[in-house]
Each structure stands twice: as structure tokens, then as C-alpha cells.
């Protein structure tokens, strides 16, 4: 029986988790839309472009948010709760329009309004540029956290940089990655508001003048510096259904009008104005490295720029709340850690520690020990990786030139730190060397992770296994010191999470509806309720519905793939997906080798049963990461061969998902059958992509790495395909002396695949293109792909076998969905709030909506709190 096709627009109307469309609501939105088209876009419907309609709708939706935004900030000003500051060099926000409608509960009204105006809202949504101010997991985590902090009613702020160019756009040309600048602000941004009145100066370079005794721990003067201004732009971050709207404040660099005054005076006025660009380059572009440290001067400038501007803002707001004649009893900075929590997203904003010391000592003229206590009690640090090449170790000569006073402060911190270690571990000189903030072997460098640990009261990893690894190995010495000092709970775990609003309600309306039909509409705020789906595993009708939603999502993605890349995919095949940044440790190459194995099997035995697959791989390589770019080229070469082989037909297809980004993730993840999470055990700190797939009913093939471990635990080890070495086995193999070639020699399908690649089977025109690449793998294989390969292929065979039984497979999908509640970022943020920040989540707080009366006379005092 052919069922009536249901469009997403129709689906989105059926469910009140997206708000109920009321007659007045729809009518107001239409009026506002028409007003914006006329007055803001200055167009009528005869000449309006799709983009005009997008901006008219975006402005309409934004208008609905501003009253709530002002009221939220007024509320914070009056109640003066402890503020949480999330400092991050990356906020990978993606699109805002649909998310805003959803969180404000006006999606249904907007859908209906656009429908009545004869416009396709999904088409308009597609015209919004992604805010791609992040590289991957770390930046997307920050974005999920903003959503959860607002939803939990926390008085919180994101602080970062408003890059003029976000993560590059990836083009695939003849199989190679080509980078294009991401000019995301070209057509304007409907969501942010410049706040020139809160612009602050940031200083660089110059030198330090000390007091008469030359003591670095006493107030000093930083002189002869160069100044750049930091201009804030505020983006509202709405909570889900609670009228809370918090602020993401991103800074852009502005040259002072006096810039290059010397040149002005010597007469080259034109040159002086042109040179203003030099200062403004600070916020020009996001560094496109994921899990890799590139010690460039401009990057260090970015890191100090955001930290310096943010701390001025935090202290201004603290003073206006405490010293602003509102609470004269508390007049000192001693209350600072009770009123302010600063969370450092990796070491990227680690200069917050010496900068806060500088402000307290040099500007507020505080004693060192008192200032230090305040800093430590305020700051907390999240570690995101153990890969040594990702750890920030800034050359001392760079810091000395750019931040002379900060280097002195770091030296002072280190001196006291070393004294402290000596006290607890007398005579242990190797320990002093290992734990020092200053690395002396080779070029002198500052170890920023060590600085963060010493300057924070809490240090956390991002999944249980990762937190254990940092405590047992990388930061072991620091844990031992902490124990000697009698500190409790300094080293913690906070397993990452994702927001169920964007990653289910928004991206998978069919599944969201189905869930709401069964368990009600509370789950987006309380994801543990998904457990209530568990008994439905035995309900064949429900299982069929779950399977049907997945099938519809696959068909929709197939239409997109046809439109974008003109590839026909078999929607009955298994959609086998690996989307994430391209990195050797994530082992996309292992996935590619498995494709070659499947291809060879089909060619050798064309009539044998084969469970059809569409393998999709997507992700960006850092522009300077040669091996990652070779992996992309290889996957595309394999795809070209496989996709055009008539013997293969629609049993096997390979799709490179060009320009993987947040908005593409929202299309791909709901359509996946299989999620590839195959990093070498011990290398992926957590992963969050893994959680998005689980929540959307894909099964995982993965190693016991990162949060995969906890995903398996939530399902008692069932309904997930785990393979490969565990962390201790990887370590043991290293100790024994890993010999990759031995695996190449002893696994026949592996040897065949590697020989083919090496000899140019997939690129006959340039037959030696991958010879060196394969040689290197067989001789080094840092991430032990060859050691895990046999287990991987065997596990993939079990996956194929399981896929044949559609009903059983779908039951496993539902078991995954039902077990995914733990991975809501609401849970993660509640733990940060209680265990690190000392604030209590307010899930039931509801700020009065703009049309509802306030308890007191309305004032404009809220503006003071922006
Ligand atoms: C979630 C997400 C990531 C992180 O994926 P991992 O598999 O955890 O590395 C990267 N990029 C985008 C666009 C994402 O949405």
C-alpha cells in the first residue's frame, strides 16, 4: 500500500513541542514579515529574492526574541546570581533561524504564516549561511552548551571572537580538497547586534616598568604598548520554552583612530589609513586546525585579544553589580569567585589566568597571594585531547615580545609552583622538570596545560575513559601533587553531550513526532525519559513506524545527494556514514580500506549475496595537513572506480560528502543506518558525533574509545558493534614494539587492498601517487590501523548480517534511541553547574514573556547588565 507522502512542513505542524499555531500568532507573523520586507529589506513581492524573504523572516523571528532577551538581562541584574562565563576560541553555531523558532515555540506559527504567503519555509531556511566559527567537536560543544545553559536558566555568557571568515568552504576538484574563504557575513547577519558602547582597549608589545624593588609580584606598569580595540557583537541564545535569552558576545578588532599617527605626521595619510587593516587582521579568520597546535603570532594575538576584552567585561559587570550602590556590604574582590565562574574551553583562552592576575595586581593593586586565591577559585579548565601535537606550548620569545608582563607573571606563578612541589616532594628534581610551566629542553616554551592546571580549581576530561587517561598518565604528577595538598575533587570528569533540540527536534521532525506520540512532549527538556521507549521494542507497529521514518529520511538525503553531486544511491542499501574532521587518529583510511575489501569481494564473486551499502564519508582536512588531504584524494579515487563499475551496480556506492558542516550534519545524521566511530582506543577524547547518530537511531560500529564506552554501557554492551584493541592493548602493543608490516603480511585482504592502492589501481593515470603513502603506513602506522583491521572487517561482516533482518535491526535502533538520554548536554551542563561552578540549574524558571506583566514597574536597568 502506497502511503500518502507527508511533507516535512506538514509533519512539523502536527506536534506542539514546536509550538501551537494560533490565529493571532500567524497573523502577527505575517504582518511583521511584510513590514520587514517593506521597511528593512526595502522590497515588494515583485522584486524580492529568496534571500530577501529569508531576511524578512529572520528579522520577524528576531523581533519575537528581543523582549525576552532584555527581560532576561533585567532579571539577572535584579537577582544578581553567580554568572558563568564560557570562554572559547570557537563557537560552531550553524544556522539560527529554525533553532530560534523552535526554542521560542513559534515554529508552527511561522510555518503556517509562510505557507499562507505562498512561501516554502524550508527553502528560506536553506538560504541562511552557517555560522562556522569552529573546526569540529570542540566548537560545536560550545554551541550545544549555550543552548543547554539557556534552557537550564543559568546566568551565563559565551565569549569569543567574531571571525570575519569562519571555517573554509571545502570544494572537491578532481578528488582533491580545495579551500575557499567562508565570507559568511557578505549578505549581513540578522542575529547579532554591535555594542560599540562596550568597546574596550587591548594592548600588545611594549615593556614593563617595575617598582623600586623590581619585584614582579608587585604592581607594575606596562608601557609603550600598541593598542587595538575590541568591539563586541551580541548574539542572543534562546533557551527552549523558558523565555530565557542569554548572550553570546563575540569581539571584532577595530583599529584606533590614532593608529599610525607617526605616519600621519610624516604625510603618508593614505598609507596610514590602509595600515589600519593590520590591527584589524586579529579577528579576520579562524585557524582551521583541529587537534593541532600551530604556534603562530597571529593566533597568540587572537587568544590574548578575546581573553583581555572578556575579563574587562566580566570585571565591569562584577563592579556594576557589587559596587554599584546595590550591595554596599560586599565591597571587595573576595566575593569574586562567589559571583563569577570562568570555564576555559581547552587551553586556548588560558591567558585568562595571567591576565586576571595582572588586572588584580597591577590595576587593582592587590597582594599576590590574595589575587592568586581569587584566580584559582574562579577558573576551571577543560582538557580536550591527549595528542601531544595538539597541546599548546608557546615559545617564550613570542610571549616576551607580545605580552612582556604576562610572561613575568607566568614566571612568578611557576616559581611559587616549583617551591610548592619541592615542599611536597623534596629532592625529586625530575618531577620539577616534568611539572614546570616552562619547558627548557630545546626552544624555551610555556606549557599552557600546566598553567591551566595550576591556575584552576577544577580540571576535567570530556568522557570517563579520557578523564581516567589524563589522571593516570598525562597529568599524573599533578594529581599526586593535588593529593599531597589535600585538595578534593580537583580532577573530574564531565562526559560531553549534545542538545536534543537541534539534534533531534530540529533535524528529525518525523522521529520527534513519533516519540512525542508515545511518551509526550517533555523529553526535549528531560532526555532520560527516552527510556520509556524501551518496552515499545516489542511493539511491531511502532518498530515499523521507526523504520519508516528512517526510510523517509534516507529518501530525502538521496534526493539531496542527487541534486548536489548527481549521484544515484540505492535507498534500500545500508547508509554507512563517517562524518568528522579528517585526521589520521580518526582512521578514515581504515574505512576506505574496508571499501576496497568489499569491492574486491564483489568483483571476485559477482553473483554471491552481498548486503548493499552506500558508504558516505565527509569532513575537512586542515589545509596544511598533507596526509589528511591524501586520504580525501584516495577516497575520491576509490569512489570513482567503484561507482562506475557495472559489475558493482547498486550494491556498493561511495559518496564523498563535500563541505561537511553543521547544516549538512543535520541532513545526513537522521538518514544514517551505521555510524563509524573507529578511532584508535585512547585517542578520541569523547566525540559528540557518535551521540548525534545514536539519538537519531543509527547503530554504531566503534572502538572502546571516548564516549563510545559509555554509549555501550548505557545499553549493557548490546545493540552496538564494538571491535578492536582496548586502551591497555594498544599500550601493550607499543611496549612489545609494534610491527605494522607483520599485519600487512598476515591479513590477505589487507595486503591485496594496500598493494592495489600502492600500485595505482585506483589512479592508473598517476600510478605512483600513493606508493609513498602506503609505504609510510606499512612502516609506521602511528594509529595502528593495520593491527585493528582484521577485527574491523569481521565486525563489518556481522553488521551486514544484522542488516538483513530489518525488524531486528530497527529494534536495535530503538534500543539505541531509548538509551541515549545520558548524552543530552543538559545533563553535562547540570554537572558542570553543580560540581564546578557552584550554581544550581533552574529547569523550571520561566521569565515572564514580553506580553506578560512584570512583578514591578518596568525599568530599563537591564541594559546596564548587557
Ligand atoms: C558534531 C560535529 C563534529 C564532531 O564530530 P566527531 O565525530 O565527534 O568528531 C564535527 N563537525 C560537525 C559539523 C559536527 O556537527
Amino acid at each position: 500500500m502506497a502511503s500518502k507522502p507527508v511533507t516535512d512542513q506538514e509533519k512539523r505542524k502536527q506536534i506542539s513541542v514546536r509550538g501551537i499555531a494560533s490565529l493571532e500568532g500567524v497573523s502577527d507573523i505575517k504582518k511583521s514579515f511584510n513590514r520587514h520586507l517593506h521597511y528593512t529589506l526595502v522590497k515588494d513581492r515583485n522584486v524580492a529574492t529568496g534571500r530577501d524573504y529569508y531576511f524578512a523572516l529572520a528579522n520577524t523571528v528576531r523581533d519575537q526574541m528581543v523582549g525576552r532577551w532584555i527581560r532576561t538581562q533585567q532579571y539577572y541584574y535584579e537577582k544578581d546570581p553567580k554568572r558563568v562565563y564560557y570562554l572559547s576560541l570557537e563557537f560552531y553555531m550553524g544556522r539560527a533561524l529554525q533553532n530560534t523558532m523552535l526554542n521560542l515555540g513559534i515554529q508552527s506559527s511561522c510555518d503556517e504564516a509562510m505557507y499562507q504567503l505562498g512561501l516554502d519555509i524550508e527553502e528560506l531556511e536553506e538560504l541562511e549561511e552557517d555560522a562556522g566559527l569552529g573546526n569540529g567537536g570542540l566548537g560545536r560543544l560550545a554551541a550545544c552548551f549555550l543552548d543547554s545553559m539557556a534552557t537550564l536558566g543559568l546566568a551565563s555568557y559565551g565569549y569569543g571572537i567574531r571571525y570575519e571568515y569562519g571555517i573554509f568552504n571545502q570544494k572537491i576538484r578532481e578528488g582533491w580538497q580545495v579551500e575557499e574563504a567562508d565570507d559568511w557575513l557578505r549578505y549581513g547577519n540578522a542575529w547579532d547586534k554591535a555594542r560599540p558602547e562596550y568597546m574596550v582597549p587591548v594592548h600588545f608589545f611594549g615593556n614593563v616598568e617595575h617598582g623600586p624593588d623590581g619585584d614582579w609580584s608587585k604592581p607594575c606598569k606596562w608601557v609603550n604598548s600598541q593598542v587595538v580595540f575590541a568591539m563586541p557583537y551580541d548574539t542572543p541564545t534562546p533557551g527552549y520554552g523558558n523565555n530565557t535569552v542569554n548572550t553570546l558576545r563575540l569581539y571584532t578588532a577595530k583599529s584606533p583612530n590614532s593608529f599610525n599617527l607617526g605616519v600621519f605626521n610624516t604625510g603618508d595619510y593614505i598609507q596610514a589609513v590602509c595600515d589600519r587593516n593590520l590591527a584589524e587582521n586579529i579577528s579576520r579568520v579562524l585557524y582551521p586546525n583541529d587537534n593541532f597546535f600551530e604556534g603562530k603570532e597571529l593566533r597568540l594575538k587572537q587568544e590574548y585579544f578575546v581573553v583581555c576584552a572578556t575579563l574587562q567585561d566580566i570585571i565591569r559587570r562584577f563592579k556594576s553589580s557589587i559596587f554599584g550602590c546595590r550591595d554596599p556590604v560586599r565591597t571587595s574582590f573576595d566575593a569574586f569567585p562567589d559571583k563569577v565562574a570562568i570555564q576555559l574551553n581547552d587551553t586556548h583562552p588560558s591567558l585568562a589566568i595571567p591576565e586576571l592576575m595582572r588586572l588584580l595586581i597591577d590595576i587593582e593593586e592587590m597582594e599576590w597571594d590574595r589575587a592568586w586565591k581569587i584566580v584559582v577559585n574562579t577558573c576551571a579548565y577543560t582538557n580536550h585531547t591527549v595528542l601531544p601535537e595538539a597541546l599548546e606550548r608557546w615559545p617564550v620569545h613570542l610571549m616576551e615580545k607580545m605580552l612582556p608582563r604576562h610572561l613575568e607573571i607566568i614566571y612568578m606563578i611557576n616559581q611559587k609552583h616549583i617551591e610548592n612541589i619541592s615542599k611536597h616532594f623534596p629532592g625529586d628534581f625530575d618531577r620539577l622538570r616534568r611539572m614546570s610551566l616552562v619547558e627548557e629542553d630545546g626552544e624555551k616554551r610555556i606549557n599552557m596545560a600546566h598553567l591551566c592546571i595550576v591556575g584552576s580549581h577544577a580540571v576535567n576530561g570530556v568522557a570517563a575513559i579520557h578523564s581516567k587517561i589524563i589522571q593516570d598518565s598525562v597529568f599524573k604528577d599533578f594529581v599526586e601533587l593535588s593529593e599531597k595538598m589535600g585538595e578534593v575533587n580537583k580532577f573530574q570528569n564531565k562526559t560531553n553531550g549534545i542538545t536534543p533540540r537541534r539534534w533531534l527536534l530540529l533535524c528529525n521532525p518525523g522521529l520527534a513526532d513519533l516519540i512525542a506520540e508515545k511518551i509526550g512532549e517533555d523529553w526535549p527538556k528531560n532526555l532520560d525519559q527516552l527510556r520509556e521507549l524501551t518496552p515499545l521494542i516489542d511493539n511491531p507497529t511502532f518498530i515499523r513506524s521507526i523504520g519508516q521514518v528512517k526510510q523517509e529520511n534516507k529518501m530525502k538525503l538521496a534526493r539531496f545527494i542527487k541534486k548536489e553531486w548527481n549521484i544515484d544511491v540505492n535507498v534500500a542499501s545500508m547508509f554507512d556514514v563517517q562524518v568528522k574532521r579528517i585526521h589520521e587518529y580518526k582512521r578514515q583510511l581504515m574505512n576506505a580500506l574496508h571499501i576496497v575489501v568489499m569491492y574486491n569481494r564483489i568483483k571476485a564473486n559477482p553473483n554471491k549475496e552481498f548486503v548493499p551499502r552506500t558508504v558516505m564519508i565527509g569532513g575537512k582536512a586542515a589545509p596544511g595537513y598533507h596526509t589528511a588531504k591524501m586520504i580525501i584524494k584516495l577516497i575520491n579515487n576509490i569512489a570513482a572506480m567503484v561507482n562506475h563499475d557495472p559489475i558493482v551496480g547498486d550494491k556498493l556506492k561511495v559518496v564523498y560528502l563535500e563541505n561537511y558542516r553543521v547544516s549538512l550534519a543535520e541532513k545526513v545524521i537522521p538518514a544514517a543506518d551505521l555510524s563509524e566511530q573507529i578511532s584508535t582506543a585512547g585517542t578520541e577524547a569523547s566525540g559528540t558525533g557518535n551521540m548525534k547518530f545514536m539519538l537519531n537511531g543509527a547503530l554504531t560500529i566503534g572502538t572502546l574509545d571516548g564516549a563510545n564506552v559509555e554509549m555501550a554501557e548505557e545499553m549493557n554492551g548490546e545493540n552496538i558493534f564494538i571491535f578492536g584493541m582496548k586502551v591497555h592493548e594498544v599500550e601493550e602493543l607499543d611496549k612489545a614494539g609494534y610491527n605494522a608490516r607483520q599485519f600487512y603480511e598476515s591479513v590477505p585482504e589487507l595486503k591485496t587492498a594496500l598493494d592495489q592502492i600502492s600500485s595505482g589501481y585506483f589512479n592508473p593515470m598517476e600510478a605512483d601517487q600513493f606508493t609513498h603513502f602506503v609505504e609510510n603506513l606499512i612502516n609506521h602506522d602511528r594509529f595502528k590501523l593495520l593491527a585493528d583491521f582484521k577485527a574491523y572487517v569481521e565486525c563489518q561482516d556481522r553488521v551486514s548480517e544484522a542488516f538483513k533482518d530489518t525488524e531486528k535491526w530497527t529494534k536495535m535502533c530503538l534500543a539505541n534511541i531509548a538509551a541515549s538520554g545520558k548524552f543530552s548536554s543538559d545533563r553535562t551542563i547540570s554537572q558542570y553547574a553543580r560540581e564546578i561552578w557552584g550554581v544550581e540549574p533552574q529547569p523550571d524558571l520561566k521569565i515572564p514573556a514580553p506580553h506578560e506583566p512584570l512583578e514591578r514597574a518596568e525599568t530599563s536597568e537591564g541594559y546596564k547588565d548587557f
Side-chain angles (χ1 to χ4, degrees):
M1 191 191 76
S3 64
K4 171 176 163 289
V6 184
T7 67
D8 268 16
Q9 185 154 6
E10 279 175 58
K11 258 187 263 162
R12 281 160 46 158
K13 265 188 270 182
Q14 293 165 7
I15 174 174
S16 72
V17 271
R18 276 181 285 275
I20 313 251
S22 72
L23 227 63
E24 312 96 280
V26 173
S27 152
D28 286 352
I29 285 162
K30 278 160 62 182
K31 273 187 214 148
S32 170
F33 178 89
N34 286 323
R35 190 166 45 76
H36 276 297
L37 192 62
H38 188 82
Y39 289 102
T40 310
L41 283 307
V42 197
K43 288 284 182 82
D44 66 29
R45 290 210 53 177
N46 296 311
V47 290
T49 63
R51 192 169 284 109
D52 292 325
Y53 291 131
Y54 158 71
F55 275 110
L57 179 57
N59 279 290
T60 299
V61 169
R62 176 185 170 280
D63 286 354
Q64 298 275 318
M65 185 159 45
V66 294
R68 291 168 168 91
W69 195 7
I70 289 171
R71 282 205 172 182
T72 301
Q73 305 309 312
Q74 286 175 341
Y75 180 88
Y76 294 157
Y77 185 74
E78 282 177 15
K79 295 272 151 92
D80 198 22
K82 183 169 182 177
R83 314 297 159 88
V84 173
Y85 294 98
Y86 198 79
L87 270 61
S88 180
L89 270 282
E90 302 185 18
F91 287 92
Y92 203 170
M93 302 296 284
R95 291 175 176 154
L97 176 57
Q98 197 189 350
N99 187 250
T100 306
M101 295 188 295
L102 200 56
N103 280 12
L104 262 42
I106 58 170
Q107 183 165 41
S108 301
S109 299
C110 292
D111 285 355
E112 179 61 23
M114 292 305 104
Y115 178 77
Q116 290 183 11
L117 292 170
L119 296 168
D120 181 340
I121 195 166
E122 275 190 72
E123 249 171 50
L124 304 189
E125 286 162 3
E126 283 298 305
L127 294 169
E128 180 173 0
E129 297 276 343
D130 279 37
L133 309 186
N135 275 290
L138 174 148
R140 185 51 234 177
L141 184 77
C144 285
F145 281 4
L146 295 181
D147 188 84
S148 285
M149 290 191 291
T151 299
L152 292 170
L154 300 182
S156 56
Y157 305 77
Y159 274 85
I161 296 176
R162 186 178 188 258
Y163 301 107
E164 191 176 334
Y165 296 89
I167 187 67
F168 61 85
N169 282 313
Q170 178 193 57
K171 292 276 157 67
I172 303 294
R173 295 281 179 261
E174 292 169 10
W176 297 101
Q177 167 176 295
V178 174
E179 299 89 19
E180 246 179 30
D182 167 42
D183 192 5
W184 70 295
L185 295 167
R186 176 165 349 181
Y187 300 104
N189 178 359
W191 305 107
D192 64 4
K193 175 76 189 79
R195 300 280 189 204
E197 68 274 28
Y198 294 115
M199 198 159 72
V200 290
V202 177
H203 295 262
F204 296 97
F205 307 111
N207 51 283
V208 185
E209 283 177 359
H210 304 94
D213 57 359
D215 188 343
W216 290 357
S217 68
K218 302 262 177 68
C220 294
K221 270 202 189 123
W222 182 8
V223 296
N224 302 319
S225 57
Q226 293 175 21
V227 70
V228 178
F229 285 100
M231 162 103 95
Y233 282 74
D234 289 352
T235 301
T237 63
Y240 177 72
N242 63 353
N243 296 327
T244 297
V245 181
N246 288 340
T247 302
L248 168 60
R249 178 161 281 181
L250 300 179
Y251 288 98
T252 195
K254 288 293 289 176
S255 190
N257 290 335
S258 60
F259 192 75
N260 256 1
L261 207 63
V263 185
F264 269 90
N265 292 338
T266 59
D268 200 347
Y269 162 75
I270 299 293
Q271 194 57 49
V273 174
C274 290
D275 285 351
R276 291 169 61 86
N277 274 322
L278 269 41
E280 295 177 357
N281 279 341
I282 291 176
S283 56
R284 196 75 69 206
V285 58
L286 168 76
Y287 272 87
N289 302 317
D290 187 72
N291 276 299
F292 185 77
F293 170 60
E294 192 183 343
K296 286 287 192 317
E297 177 169 326
L298 181 61
R299 169 69 180 198
L300 184 60
K301 270 192 184 163
Q302 290 183 339
E303 295 187 355
Y304 180 62
F305 175 75
V306 59
V307 153
C308 176
T310 301
L311 281 167
Q312 290 179 67
D313 219 38
I314 292 174
I315 288 174
R316 175 189 57 75
R317 195 175 288 111
F318 173 74
K319 284 185 172 176
S320 89
S321 78
I322 302 299
F323 298 127
C325 300
R326 297 199 307 143
D327 192 354
V329 182
R330 310 171 99 169
T331 54
S332 94
F333 271 93
D334 288 329
F336 196 77
D338 302 327
K339 285 293 177 188
V340 174
I342 295 176
Q343 191 67 38
L344 306 176
N345 196 20
D346 212 310
T347 58
H348 312 154
S350 59
L351 288 167
I353 290 164
E355 173 67 0
L356 186 51
M357 283 301 283
R358 185 184 73 85
L359 292 171
L360 294 178
I361 290 170
D362 293 355
I363 310 295
E364 305 294 337
E365 305 196 321
M366 199 179 284
E367 297 276 303
W368 178 278
D369 289 347
R370 193 171 152 230
W372 183 243
K373 263 195 196 115
I374 290 169
V375 168
V376 172
N377 288 327
T378 302
C379 295
Y381 156 58
T382 304
N383 173 274
H384 284 270
T385 181
V386 297
L387 293 182
E389 66 269 34
L391 302 179
E392 290 192 300
R393 296 154 57 250
W394 284 105
V396 161
H397 74 86
L398 260 184
M399 301 211 39
E400 193 165 21
K401 183 174 74 149
M402 191 188 302
L403 302 166
R405 179 58 178 145
H406 296 79
L407 185 63
E408 290 180 358
I409 290 170
I410 290 170
Y411 281 151
M412 284 305 297
I413 295 171
N414 196 43
Q415 187 184 315
K416 286 162 198 284
H417 168 57
I418 295 288
E419 283 166 16
N420 186 38
I421 305 166
S422 307
K423 190 176 93 190
H424 290 290
F425 299 93
D428 192 344
F429 299 111
D430 198 57
R431 186 179 292 264
L432 295 183
R433 185 192 54 75
R434 292 196 306 269
M435 295 182 72
S436 176
L437 310 189
V438 186
E439 296 181 355
E440 309 266 7
D441 49 333
E443 190 183 19
K444 218 168 150 185
R445 289 166 183 268
I446 306 297
N447 185 314
M448 304 313 266
H450 291 186
L451 173 63
C452 282
I453 297 171
V454 174
S456 299
H457 68 283
V459 175
N460 73 282
V462 290
I465 190 174
H466 166 65
S467 297
K468 184 168 162 30
I469 288 171
I470 62 179
Q471 288 165 40
D472 292 353
S473 55
V474 222
F475 301 150
K476 187 163 184 273
D477 291 326
F478 291 89
V479 174
E480 288 170 4
L481 177 66
S482 184
E483 280 165 4
K484 288 266 188 197
M485 292 168 68
E487 293 173 332
V488 282
N489 290 340
K490 173 155 176 173
F491 291 86
Q492 303 190 14
N493 172 245
K494 296 289 168 279
T495 300
N496 280 167
I498 55 170
T499 169
R501 273 74 66 180
R502 183 177 295 265
W503 296 114
L504 179 50
L505 199 47
L506 180 153
C507 71
N508 201 342
L511 182 58
D513 275 11
L514 208 50
I515 293 169
E517 255 173 51
K518 292 295 178 193
I519 67 169
E521 305 189 341
D522 219 28
W523 57 266
K525 291 197 86 150
N526 205 335
L527 205 64
D528 286 326
Q529 288 180 6
L530 293 180
R531 283 279 179 206
E532 295 166 25
L533 296 168
T534 308
L536 295 167
I537 289 171
D538 300 315
N539 178 336
T541 317
F542 188 69
I543 292 300
R544 262 197 303 281
S545 307
I546 292 277
Q548 202 178 331
V549 165
K550 179 65 77 183
Q551 201 57 35
E552 284 165 10
N553 292 341
K554 289 172 73 173
M555 280 155 44
K556 188 168 180 186
L557 179 63
R559 285 194 296 275
F560 179 83
I561 288 171
K562 178 70 182 170
K563 175 173 72 83
E564 289 289 305
W565 302 296
N566 196 28
I567 302 173
D568 290 291
V569 302
N570 172 9
V571 292
S573 67
M574 181 199 306
F575 281 15
D576 170 347
V577 184
Q578 186 175 25
V579 281
K580 47 182 78 251
R581 288 297 293 259
I582 308 296
H583 208 298
E584 287 163 276
Y585 84 82
K586 293 174 184 276
R587 299 200 293 194
Q588 282 93 355
L589 183 55
M590 189 161 74
N591 189 348
L593 289 172
H594 175 239
I595 300 173
V596 175
V597 166
M598 289 190 290
Y599 176 67
N600 289 336
R601 285 179 184 177
I602 294 170
K603 298 282 276 187
N605 245 321
N607 297 317
K608 195 175 165 205
E609 181 198 38
F610 183 85
V611 179
R613 286 202 195 212
T614 303
V615 184
M616 306 180 192
I617 302 177
K620 293 171 184 174
Y625 189 173
H626 178 254
T627 306
K629 289 184 147 179
M630 290 299 286
I631 293 169
I632 292 175
K633 173 63 172 161
L634 176 63
I635 293 165
N636 283 301
N637 286 351
I638 295 169
M641 183 73 72
V642 169
N643 294 353
H644 297 111
D645 192 324
I647 294 174
V648 174
D650 65 0
K651 286 180 183 163
L652 184 61
K653 279 273 157 60
V654 183
V655 180
Y656 200 90
L657 298 168
E658 185 184 35
N659 204 25
Y660 179 62
R661 61 200 186 283
V662 174
S663 59
L664 185 54
E666 291 164 8
K667 297 180 173 76
V668 170
I669 291 168
D673 294 306
L674 185 66
S675 160
E676 301 263 357
Q677 307 298 338
I678 57 178
S679 52
T680 317
T683 63
E684 188 76 272
S686 163
T688 49
N690 46 1
M691 303 167 186
K692 299 168 196 166
F693 283 99
M694 183 188 192
L695 181 60
N696 283 277
L699 302 191
T700 300
I701 181 166
T703 48
L704 283 178
D705 198 19
N708 298 352
V709 176
E710 289 157 81
M711 287 164 49
E713 267 170 25
E714 289 298 296
M715 292 180 295
N716 305 312
E718 293 165 44
N719 308 307
I720 183 165
F721 296 94
I722 297 292
F723 71 94
M725 290 179 288
K726 298 170 186 58
V727 171
H728 74 92
E729 291 167 329
V730 173
E731 288 169 357
E732 283 156 17
L733 186 57
D734 262 329
K735 280 201 202 99
Y738 174 48
N739 180 355
R741 184 176 297 274
Q742 175 197 319
F743 291 92
Y744 160 79
E745 302 285 1
S746 64
V747 183
E749 287 189 301
L750 174 61
K751 181 167 191 306
T752 306
L754 286 174
D755 289 347
Q756 283 171 318
I757 293 166
S758 176
S759 64
Y761 183 93
F762 297 100
N763 34 274
M765 308 304 284
E766 284 150 292
D768 56 1
Q769 195 153 60
F770 288 97
T771 313
H772 186 75
F773 178 88
V774 172
E775 268 301 295
N776 199 50
L777 183 72
I778 295 171
N779 288 318
H780 300 288
D781 189 19
R782 178 175 166 210
F783 295 102
K784 304 193 174 51
L785 180 162
L786 302 195
D788 266 344
F789 192 70
K790 186 158 175 285
Y792 178 56
V793 172
E794 284 167 6
C795 192
Q796 288 285 20
D797 292 341
R798 285 189 279 125
V799 171
S800 287
E801 190 57 33
F803 193 70
K804 289 198 281 185
D805 186 342
T806 304
E807 188 183 348
K808 191 168 163 225
W809 179 277
T810 311
K811 284 182 172 181
M812 291 172 74
C813 295
L814 182 57
N816 271 264
I817 297 167
S820 63
K822 173 174 178 183
F823 305 104
S824 169
S825 47
D826 296 348
R827 186 269 312 150
T828 313
I829 286 299
S830 298
Q831 292 178 331
Y832 276 96
R834 296 194 175 109
E835 297 162 20
I836 296 181
W837 303 332
V839 296
E840 188 57 29
Q842 308 287 329
D844 300 320
L845 171 82
K846 199 158 179 183
I847 305 236
H851 60 275
E852 290 163 7
L854 288 173
E855 285 169 22
R856 45 164 190 81
E858 189 144 4
T859 72
S860 60
E861 285 202 314
Y863 286 108
K864 285 192 195 164
D865 218 54
F866 264 103

